[in-house]
Amino acid sequence: MVSHFRYGAAALVVVSALVGQAAAFTAGSLHVALRPAPAATAMCLSSPQQKIALDRRGLGAFATGLALAGVLPAEASAAKKERSSAGKWAEHEGPFQPDDLEGFTKTESGLQYKIVQEGKENGVKPKAYSKVKAHYAGYLLANGKKFDASYDRGKPFGFTAGAGGVIKGWDEAVLDMVVGERRILIIPPELAYGNRNVGNGLIPAKSTLVFYIELVTLAT
């Protein structure tokens, strides 16, 4: 299979794969050819200047180097696209408008929530001290500015529910969710960081926070 990329001004052609078939690419004046090698090696690397036999470990390192250099960007690009797609529902730009704040349920503590996706049918809610993982995106209600998002890192945040390891608004919300459920939370300062200034002004004191949160896993 032949794939065509552009790397800077150089045309790049990769004939895959690196697991037993011939492959070649050209970047500027450099031409590199990969061809199957004897059983003792995984692949031979050759250029007009030299010929090097690579075992499987060396081949892996070579492929990693190409990826880091941007020569083989497909997998990294696909992973980035997948992360972006997963967190698309939690994207928000600009100040929150009145319509954005409608349809919420308010609890006795002052926490407000809106379910935007139901979780698993007959799903089990976490008990106190359960190990959970959640994806989230957090914004300031005052101006709509995003201050953090696990979706941007492509890795859910793990913590112990109901143990006081996260802000009170999170503990209350997560203990009422099931796996797969998505909610938008409006968390007042007394259930968030109160009078504390977090992250050198990233979250100012007395801030009301808006979180888009998804419960990903639960260890029962």
Side-chain angles (χ1 to χ4, degrees), residues 17-217:
L18 299 178
V19 291
Q21 298 181 11
F25 68 84
T26 301
S29 60
L30 174 65
H31 176 77
V32 177
L34 298 173
R35 63 180 180 77
T41 60
M43 195 73 69
C44 284
L45 165 67
S46 66
S47 71
Q49 291 78 26
Q50 57 183 332
K51 177 180 178 180
I52 305 171
L54 299 176
D55 60 14
R56 293 190 180 278
R57 180 178 297 179
L59 181 59
F62 176 70
T64 299
L66 291 180
L68 291 175
V71 174
L72 298 176
E75 289 189 8
S77 177
K80 184 176 180 181
K81 184 177 181 181
E82 182 177 352
R83 289 198 300 270
S84 176
S85 176
K88 191 173 182 61
W89 79 279
E91 293 178 356
H92 176 83
E93 293 185 5
F96 287 96
Q97 303 300 317
D99 289 351
D100 298 325
L101 308 178
E102 293 181 352
F104 283 78
T105 299
K106 190 173 184 178
T107 69
E108 292 183 3
S109 70
L111 173 70
Q112 296 183 64
Y113 70 90
K114 179 167 63 176
I115 300 173
V116 297
Q117 176 179 291
E118 298 287 348
K120 292 183 177 179
E121 186 176 357
N122 299 321
V124 178
K125 295 180 180 180
K127 296 180 180 179
Y129 300 101
S130 296
K131 302 292 185 181
V132 300
K133 289 184 179 180
H135 261 312
Y136 67 90
Y139 302 84
L140 300 176
L141 178 61
N143 56 19
K145 183 177 180 180
K146 181 167 69 174
F147 55 82
D148 190 23
S150 65
Y151 286 112
D152 293 345
R153 296 185 290 275
K155 183 178 181 181
F157 171 61
F159 64 101
T160 302
V166 294
I167 58 177
K168 292 179 181 179
W170 260 56
D171 265 341
E172 180 180 342
V174 168
L175 288 172
D176 190 47
M177 296 174 68
V178 298
V179 172
E181 185 176 330
R182 292 175 174 177
R183 292 188 180 191
I184 303 176
L185 311 177
I186 301 177
I187 306 179
E190 56 270 25
L191 298 179
Y193 296 104
N195 293 323
R196 285 182 290 163
N197 185 318
V198 178
N200 294 321
L202 187 64
I203 302 177
K206 300 182 179 180
S207 289
T208 296
L209 309 180
V210 178
F211 275 100
Y212 294 67
I213 183 171
E214 174 184 2
L215 186 58
V216 179
T217 63

